[in-house]
Amino acid sequence: MNRKQKNMLGIGIVVVLILFLSVQSFSSALSFYYEVGEFVQKANTLDGNIVNVNGTIEKGSTIWVPEKTLLTFKLADKNASITVVSNQGMPGNYKEGIPAVVTGIFVNNTLEAIRVITKCPSKYGGDLDHGNHNET
C-alpha cells in the first residue's frame, strides 16, 4: 500500500466513524414520548423497559425525603396518573402543576425515574416556589 492509499483509508475510517456517531446521536435525540394516559394503557407490555413519559406533576402529590434525596410524585394528564419515584434529588425548578418528562423504568406499577425534566419556571410567572411538599 502506498502513502496515498494509506491516507485515503485513514480518511475513510474517520468519515465512517463520524457518520456512525452522528446517526447514534440523532436517533437518541428522537426518543419517543408517551402521554400518561397512553402509557397506562400500554404499561403491561412496557414493564421493565426504559420509557419517556410526558405529563403534569399532580398538585398535592409530592413527597420529598431530603436525607435520602427521595422524591415521589404523581405524573398525570387528563386521562390517568402514575406514581414516579426518583432518588436523583429534586430538580432545581421542580414545582407541582407544571409539565415534566420522566425517563425511567416501569416496575411494579411505579416509574422509577432515571431523569426528571421539568419545564422552565420562568414560563410560569417567574417566582420559583417549590410549594408545600410533604417532607418526611
Side-chain angles (χ1 to χ4, degrees):
M1 218 184 237
N2 64 31
R3 185 176 182 97
K4 185 176 181 181
Q5 290 174 327
K6 287 181 183 177
N7 285 341
M8 292 303 289
L9 179 64
I11 291 171
I13 290 172
V14 169
V15 167
V16 168
L17 182 62
I18 289 171
L19 286 173
F20 174 77
L21 293 174
S22 297
V23 167
Q24 291 292 0
S25 176
F26 185 71
S27 65
S28 67
L30 293 177
S31 298
F32 181 76
Y33 292 90
Y34 291 100
E35 295 299 321
V36 175
E38 179 185 19
F39 175 76
V40 167
Q41 290 177 351
K42 298 179 180 184
N44 291 338
T45 63
L46 298 170
D47 199 42
N49 293 322
I50 295 176
V51 293
N52 297 309
V53 183
N54 183 48
T56 300
I57 300 168
E58 196 172 276
K59 291 187 178 189
S61 70
T62 301
I63 300 172
W64 170 236
V65 185
E67 59 274 359
K68 294 183 180 179
T69 63
L70 182 66
L71 176 64
T72 304
F73 61 92
K74 296 269 189 190
L75 191 67
D77 66 9
K78 61 184 175 189
N79 300 316
S81 69
I82 56 172
T83 300
V84 177
V85 176
S86 173
N87 62 359
Q88 306 295 315
M90 186 179 289
N93 55 350
Y94 182 90
K95 184 176 181 182
E96 292 181 335
I98 66 170
V101 176
V102 177
T103 301
I105 301 171
F106 189 66
V107 179
N108 297 326
N109 293 322
T110 301
L111 187 57
E112 296 177 1
I114 297 168
R115 181 177 52 221
V116 177
I117 301 173
T118 56
K119 300 288 182 170
C120 180
S122 64
K123 293 183 180 181
Y124 300 96
D127 290 336
L128 183 60
D129 175 18
H130 289 293
N132 295 323
H133 304 307
N134 300 320
E135 290 193 20
T136 59

